[in-house]
Amino acid sequence: MARPKPALRTTASITTAVVLLAGAALGAAPAATAAPGTAPAGTTAQGLTFHDIPGSGGITLKGNVFTPAGAAAGAKHPLIVFPTSWAMPQIEYLAQAQKLADSGYVVVSYTSRGFWLSGGKIEVAGPPDIADASAVIDWALEHTSADPDRIGMGGVSYGAGISLLAAGHDPRIKAVAALSGWADLIDSIYSGRTQHLQAAALLGGAGLVTGRPGDELTRTLKDFLGSNLEKEPEMIAWGKKRSPATYLDRINANGAAIMMGNAWGDTIFPPNQYASFYDKLTGPKRLEFRPGDHATAEATGLLGLPNDTWTSTRRWFDRYLKGERNGIDTELPVQLTSRTDKGYEGYPDWKSVGAVKNRIPLDGTRKVWANVDSGANGGIAILSNALDQFLKLPPTVSVPLLPRTFASVWQSELYATAQRIRGTSALHTTVTATKSSGTLVAYLYDVGPLGIGKLVSNAPYTFHGQTPGRPFPVDLELHSTAYDVPAGHRLALVIDTVDPLYIEHNPTGAQLTFSSPSTDPSHLSVPLREK
C-alpha cells in the first residue's frame, strides 16, 4: 500500500509535533527507583497500607491494600484487584476501595507499569501488563487474607481493558467489572479505517507526561498519527494483540462473570465495539450504557459520591464473589439510559435494542468538495459529550445554513410522534470520488422547528485504492446511542469530509458524489425502541 502524499498529512504531522513537544516541555514522569518487595508505608485510612508489589520481569509496581476492619484471625476474604487507568496513580480507586473493604473485601490497587513510580515502560496492555495482573494476584494471595477461590478484577478505562485481557489469561479470575474500556482497540481508535486524532493524541500526550512510553508505543503512535499506511498491517496486528476480542474463546472458556459499562459518547472507546463483544460472551454478563464521554459516567464515584455505575459494580462483585442473592443476575442484562431521559430501560440482549428499523431514503445526487469543514462536526473529545451528559448540550449546527458545497444533507419527514432511537444507525450509499483516497464523516441530527440540529451520532469512513470516477458502495455504522427525538422534529443526515476528531485523507481539490442507483438505493436505517 502506497504512502499518502506528505501534503495530505499536514494536520496529523502538526498534531504529532505538538504532542511530542508537550511531553518534552512538561517532563516525563520520574523513573521508578523503588526496590522490589513489600514496603508498608503506614496506615492513612482504616485498613489502608501502601506497598511495593513485584511485577513481571522483575519490576516494582506501586500499590495499596484495603483490608476489612475487625476481620477474625485466619479468615479469608474475596479479593478485588484494580489496575489504574491510563496516566493515573495508585490513589485513583481509594474511595471505592474503602467502600468495598467496608463490606468485606480485600482490595489491591496498583499503578500500571510505566506510569508514575511503577517500574517498566508503558506497554499499552501488552503481555507484560497481563503478566503483572497475575503477579499482583500471586502477591495478594501470599501477603493478604485473600481467598484464592474468590478473585475479581476491575477498573476504569485502561484498568478495564487490562482486566478483560487478564480474564482470558488467568482462570483464577471469577468476576470482572470493565468500565469505559475497550474490547477491540482497532475498532475503537481506527473505526472506519480512520484515525481518531484527538483520542490518540490525548492518550499519547498523557502517556508522555505521566509515564515512560516503550519503544513500540512510540513507534506505533508516530506511524499512526503520521498516517503511515505502509505500516498499517503492523499497527493492526499490534492493536489486535491488545484487544480482549482476540482472546474471546479463552475468556469464555475461563467463564468469568463479566460486567461492562460505557458511555454513549465515549470519544476514546466508542460503544459499538463493546456491544459487539458483549454479544459474543457466553458466561454471566451484563452491559450498561449511560450518557457521557470517556470515564465521565464513573467519575463522581471515584470521588466517593453516589454513582449508579459503581453501585452496579459492587452488586456484581457481591453476587459473583460473595454469592449474595441480590437480584442482579435476574434483571434484564442490558441496561440503558437515554441521553434525553433519566429512566433505565432493560433488554434481554443487545439485538433487542432498537428492534424496529426506520428506513430513511437518501434520494438524488449530492456532490461536495473535500478539505473544508462544513461546520458539522462531532465536537471536542471528552468535553462535548460531558456537556451533553450534565447540561444536555450536545454539539449543534444550523442545518439550513450548512454550505451545500461542502456538506450533503438529507432530511426525514416531520415526525408526528416521538422517535426513540436505540442502538446503531447504519448508512448505505454509493460514492464516486475524483481521487483514489478520501474520507467522509456522517452525522445524524435531531432538527427542531427553527432548523437547529442537535447531534445524535456520527462516524468516519476512509477509503484507499479506489478508481477515480468509478462508483463504489459504502456501508457505515454510526456510533450507537439512545436518544429521543421529540414530536414535531425531524432527522437530518449530513455528510462532509473534515472533522477535528479525525484525520482526513482527502487530496487537495477532491470531490465526492453521493448517489442512489435504482438497483441499490441509498438509505439510512435508524433503530427505534418498540412502543
Side-chain angles (χ1 to χ4, degrees):
M1 184 179 293
R3 183 193 302 266
K5 296 180 180 179
L8 305 184
R9 305 280 59 83
T10 302
T11 300
S13 299
I14 292 174
T15 302
T16 304
V18 170
V19 169
L20 295 175
L21 287 172
L26 294 172
T33 57
T38 303
T43 299
T44 60
Q46 187 177 37
L48 170 63
T49 54
F50 290 87
H51 301 265
D52 289 346
I53 302 174
S56 64
I59 72 160
T60 297
L61 301 169
K62 291 295 183 177
N64 59 70
V65 177
F66 275 94
T67 55
K76 293 294 185 180
H77 303 89
L79 167 69
I80 297 174
V81 175
F82 284 137
T84 57
S85 302
W86 185 270
M88 293 295 288
Q90 59 166 302
I91 61 172
E92 177 183 10
Y93 301 108
L94 288 185
Q96 291 302 321
Q98 178 70 73
K99 292 181 180 182
L100 287 163
D102 288 344
S103 64
Y105 291 93
V106 171
V107 185
V108 179
S109 301
Y110 67 94
T111 303
S112 299
R113 73 163 48 219
F115 289 104
W116 298 97
L117 293 178
S118 279
K121 300 287 185 71
I122 301 173
E123 301 288 346
V124 195
D129 292 291
I130 311 311
D132 284 344
S134 291
V136 171
I137 292 173
D138 292 341
W139 180 89
L141 293 176
E142 182 179 353
H143 293 87
T144 75
S145 60
D147 185 341
D149 296 322
R150 295 184 292 169
I151 298 173
M153 281 196 69
V156 177
S157 185
Y158 196 46
I162 291 175
S163 295
L164 283 174
L165 286 161
H169 291 78
D170 194 327
R172 295 174 297 180
I173 299 169
K174 305 302 181 186
V176 170
L179 313 177
S180 290
W182 76 93
D184 188 325
L185 195 56
I186 299 301
D187 200 29
S188 294
I189 61 174
Y190 196 48
S191 68
R193 207 180 176 187
T194 307
Q195 296 97 324
H196 293 214
L197 173 62
Q198 291 185 20
L202 281 171
L203 293 173
L208 280 168
V209 171
T210 63
R212 300 167 300 283
D215 293 341
E216 191 175 18
L217 169 58
T218 301
R219 182 173 62 252
T220 300
L221 188 63
K222 179 181 178 181
D223 289 337
F224 184 82
L225 290 175
S227 299
N228 185 355
L229 293 179
E230 293 179 357
K231 297 293 185 178
E232 185 182 47
E234 294 178 27
M235 288 188 284
I236 290 175
W238 179 87
K240 286 188 177 298
K241 184 186 294 185
R242 291 159 170 80
S243 297
T246 301
Y247 310 99
L248 177 68
D249 290 344
R250 294 189 196 178
I251 293 172
N252 283 335
N254 288 344
I258 294 177
M259 173 189 149
M260 303 164 64
N262 204 356
W264 293 118
D266 195 321
T267 44
I268 307 294
F269 305 127
N272 302 44
Q273 45 92 31
Y274 239 27
S276 176
F277 179 74
Y278 169 85
D279 261 351
K280 300 178 180 67
L281 291 172
T282 58
K285 58 183 180 178
R286 183 179 177 92
L287 179 66
E288 298 186 355
F289 282 135
R290 294 178 173 84
D293 206 309
H294 185 64
T296 63
E298 302 86 23
T300 56
L302 292 174
L303 298 175
L305 300 174
N307 182 279
D308 289 348
T309 302
W310 284 103
T311 297
S312 292
T313 296
R314 290 194 296 273
R315 293 180 65 213
W316 191 253
F317 285 138
D318 286 347
R319 174 65 188 91
Y320 290 101
L321 296 182
K322 288 184 176 180
E324 291 184 2
R325 298 289 179 177
N326 56 19
I328 195 167
D329 56 326
T330 61
E331 298 169 357
L332 291 173
V334 177
Q335 294 285 321
L336 313 180
T337 303
S338 168
R339 289 165 47 202
T340 49
D341 191 6
K342 294 182 179 180
Y344 286 91
E345 301 171 3
Y347 299 85
D349 47 43
W350 178 249
K351 68 181 179 181
S352 299
V353 176
V356 176
K357 308 298 180 184
N358 176 25
R359 188 168 169 136
I360 301 174
L362 308 177
D363 298 327
T365 299
R366 310 280 197 280
K367 180 180 293 185
V368 298
W369 288 90
N371 307 114
V372 176
D373 190 340
S374 70
N377 63 68
I380 300 172
I382 308 298
L383 176 61
S384 295
N385 290 320
L387 289 175
D388 182 35
Q389 174 187 358
F390 295 111
L391 301 177
K392 305 300 181 186
L393 294 175
T396 59
V397 70
S398 175
V399 174
L401 296 182
L402 285 172
R404 270 41 175 188
T405 303
F406 307 115
S408 294
V409 180
W410 297 263
Q411 296 195 68
S412 72
E413 77 277 12
L414 205 65
Y415 293 117
T417 60
Q419 305 292 295
R420 296 184 292 181
I421 299 174
R422 300 292 186 272
T424 310
S425 297
L427 167 67
H428 174 75
T429 190
T430 295
V431 177
T432 304
T434 59
K435 305 292 183 180
S436 61
S437 294
T439 296
L440 60 94
V441 186
Y443 309 89
L444 183 62
Y445 286 101
D446 162 22
V447 184
L450 298 180
I452 301 300
K454 295 181 178 181
L455 186 64
V456 177
S457 184
N458 76 96
Y461 181 93
T462 293
F463 59 87
H464 298 287
Q466 294 292 337
T467 302
R470 178 181 296 176
F472 60 94
V474 168
D475 288 287
L476 174 63
E477 288 190 344
L478 277 63
H479 300 322
S480 302
T481 194
Y483 184 99
D484 299 327
V485 180
H489 288 213
R490 68 179 80 237
L491 286 171
L493 176 73
V494 177
I495 302 179
D496 71 2
T497 62
V498 176
D499 190 308
L501 286 173
Y502 312 112
I503 291 179
E504 51 93 7
H505 294 255
N506 297 296
T508 302
Q511 288 180 287
L512 300 180
T513 299
F514 305 96
S515 59
S516 182
S518 58
T519 56
D520 187 20
S522 296
H523 64 273
L524 179 72
S525 177
V526 180
L528 302 177
R529 181 185 176 188
E530 288 184 314
K531 297 181 180 179

